[in-house]
Amino acid sequence: MNKRLLPLLVALGCTAAQSQAQSPQLETVVDALKTPWAVAFLPGGLLLVTEREGQMRTAQPGGKPSAPIQGVPAVDAVGQGGLLDVITDSDFARNRTLYFCYAEPGENKTNGTALARAKLSADNKRLTDVKVIFSQQPKMESRLHFGCRIAETPDGKLFLSLGDRYKGMDKAQTLDSHVGKIVRVGKDGSVPADNPYVKTAGALPEIWSYGHRNSQGLTLDAQGKLWQHEHGPQGGDELNLIAPKFNYGWPVITYGENYGGGRIGEGLAAKTGMEQPVVKWVPSIAPAGLVRLKSAKYGPAWQNSFFIGSLKFGHVERVKLDADNRPAEQEKLFPDAGRVRDVREGPDGLLYLVLEGHGRVVRVKPTTP
Ligand SMILES: [Ca+2]
């Protein structure tokens, strides 16, 4: 296609019609879940699912969810909080290790996002060696904006997204808290010596980037680049390419406005020293779950595309960038999916969606050529 024509077609929504020729279908792999939040993958095709109220379960595709796995710590299942993300260690088959994050209860009705490491017993029925390796500071009395997505790096570290707790938005711009940040820690919770703020007086050493609002999407692509999306306020959801030490602007710059109208702060959308999003959504889609598809199972158009769940409209957004990281293709898939909380690429190269409202994990069937 003519490269100059493509942005126009995107603007007119024509690329959506073009790719609908593929019409991929969803198939349910697990149902009867209660408010599922994340899905991870165990050997032998087994799925590992979190439910926000505090349960972790396994299930074979097509089978029923297991009884709750024992040993999950107490979570603060209030508002948007609870048991949230889970991933398996890249060497899980050997070390049985997984990482999960959740709303950790504190004193006097406070809570905050915590990251824990555990081993899953050989019979998949209980967690052992559970250790909290990171706790967001300070804890706050809030039911909102926990962030809480985890990504493992090839060199054995963990990224974790941390929300602004709604009432702590101004802390997103200061380095003396974990509010509105992405942090990087070792798998034992240690601080990597090359984290960007380890030598900055007054800064918390786990901080990787700052100026974030509420991020429920975090992923490393095939090139090792870290991508994140975050909820804007009313309008202004963002997809960001994350680099260490950078300031992503919240709440000083935003493309959104306050709920019910009215500017935020000085009403700025850009400022020197603050990063611009790669993609922005006005109105908001309420993004949750993020993957940049590595596999070729769905053909070249989808490979290397981002897939992003929408809580608000109940679809999956596909975004493909050009060589300069500008959106070249953008379309809405599965418009009747209902609230999409997580999007993952399985070890089989297939896309898996967590449908919160339907209590299901579904798989996107590749179209047969
Ligand atoms: Ca921003």
Side-chain angles (χ1 to χ4, degrees):
M1 189 182 294
N2 183 321
K3 278 192 174 176
R4 288 182 181 175
L5 198 56
L6 191 55
L8 179 63
L9 290 174
V10 169
L12 294 172
C14 294
T15 55
Q18 182 189 47
S19 62
Q20 270 167 14
Q22 295 183 27
S23 65
Q25 303 292 312
L26 301 180
E27 68 178 328
T28 298
V29 287
V30 186
D31 64 4
L33 297 163
K34 190 178 177 194
T35 326
W37 214 90
V39 62
F41 305 92
L42 301 175
L46 200 63
L47 302 177
L48 178 65
V49 182
T50 58
E51 293 175 322
R52 198 178 55 73
E53 284 75 6
Q55 297 81 37
M56 198 180 289
R57 303 177 192 271
T58 60
Q60 282 290 350
K64 290 288 167 206
S66 72
I69 294 170
Q70 300 299 302
V72 176
V75 304
D76 212 10
V78 295
Q80 297 168 352
L83 179 59
L84 304 176
D85 206 16
V86 64
I87 65 167
T88 52
D89 189 276
S90 52
D91 200 18
F92 179 90
R94 198 180 59 81
N95 63 24
R96 305 287 303 175
T97 298
L98 49 86
Y99 309 95
F100 56 98
C101 60
Y102 59 99
E104 181 183 49
E107 295 179 349
N108 301 320
K109 298 183 189 172
T110 62
N111 53 36
T113 300
L115 174 63
R117 180 185 69 186
K119 290 186 185 239
L120 182 62
S121 62
D123 61 6
N124 300 319
K125 289 184 176 171
R126 60 183 49 79
L127 299 182
T128 66
D129 304 300
V130 179
K131 186 185 178 199
V132 175
I133 57 174
F134 174 84
S135 285
Q136 181 183 29
Q137 298 301 328
K139 286 186 164 60
M140 302 177 78
E141 187 180 346
S142 171
R143 301 158 64 90
L144 302 172
H145 296 192
F146 293 88
C148 209
R149 287 291 182 192
I150 312 162
E152 180 195 16
T153 72
D155 65 349
K157 298 179 180 69
L158 300 170
F159 286 111
L160 175 68
S161 64
L162 298 164
D164 73 353
R165 311 308 322 285
Y166 188 72
K167 58 171 59 170
M169 65 161 76
D170 291 331
K171 295 182 188 298
Q173 283 295 318
T174 61
L175 297 170
D176 56 354
S177 82
H178 297 129
V179 175
K181 309 295 190 301
I182 292 173
V183 294
R184 186 177 75 154
V185 294
K187 289 177 174 176
D188 57 358
S190 60
V191 175
D194 58 347
N195 265 10
Y197 287 107
V198 286
K199 294 188 176 122
T200 302
L204 296 183
E206 298 91 352
I207 294 171
W208 185 257
S209 62
Y210 66 106
H212 300 296
R213 186 169 180 271
N214 188 29
S215 173
Q216 297 184 358
L218 190 67
T219 195
L220 285 153
D221 68 14
Q223 283 75 47
K225 291 178 182 161
L226 182 65
W227 296 86
Q228 169 260 24
H229 64 54
E230 61 184 68
H231 297 272
Q234 185 164 277
D237 297 347
E238 304 178 346
L239 176 70
N240 292 302
L241 173 58
I242 301 297
K245 210 168 187 173
F246 280 22
N247 180 356
Y248 289 82
W250 177 255
V252 178
I253 59 170
T254 176
Y255 287 89
E257 58 180 18
N258 277 313
Y259 293 104
R263 70 185 191 186
I264 290 167
E266 296 174 43
L268 301 176
K271 191 167 184 175
T272 303
M274 298 185 184
E275 298 307 299
Q276 283 292 304
V278 173
V279 182
K280 60 181 182 288
W281 286 267
V282 180
S284 293
I285 60 169
L290 174 66
V291 71
R292 190 174 199 177
L293 186 70
K294 298 179 176 83
S295 90
K297 285 275 172 80
Y298 302 97
W302 280 27
Q303 189 174 28
N304 213 27
S305 290
F306 291 94
F307 292 84
I308 299 159
S310 164
L311 292 164
K312 184 176 177 185
F313 296 113
H315 68 267
V316 173
E317 192 96 359
R318 183 179 74 87
V319 179
K320 195 159 197 177
L321 304 180
D322 66 15
D324 298 317
N325 281 341
R326 291 174 305 201
E329 298 173 30
Q330 197 164 350
E331 64 173 328
K332 298 183 190 313
L333 302 164
F334 317 119
D336 303 318
R339 289 169 65 83
V340 181
R341 183 60 77 177
D342 197 10
V343 182
R344 299 285 177 104
E345 181 175 356
D348 51 10
L350 299 180
L351 282 168
Y352 289 76
L353 313 178
V354 171
L355 304 185
E356 176 183 278
H358 294 298
R360 287 182 186 173
V361 178
V362 300
R363 182 161 58 198
V364 181
K365 290 169 72 172
T367 48
T368 44

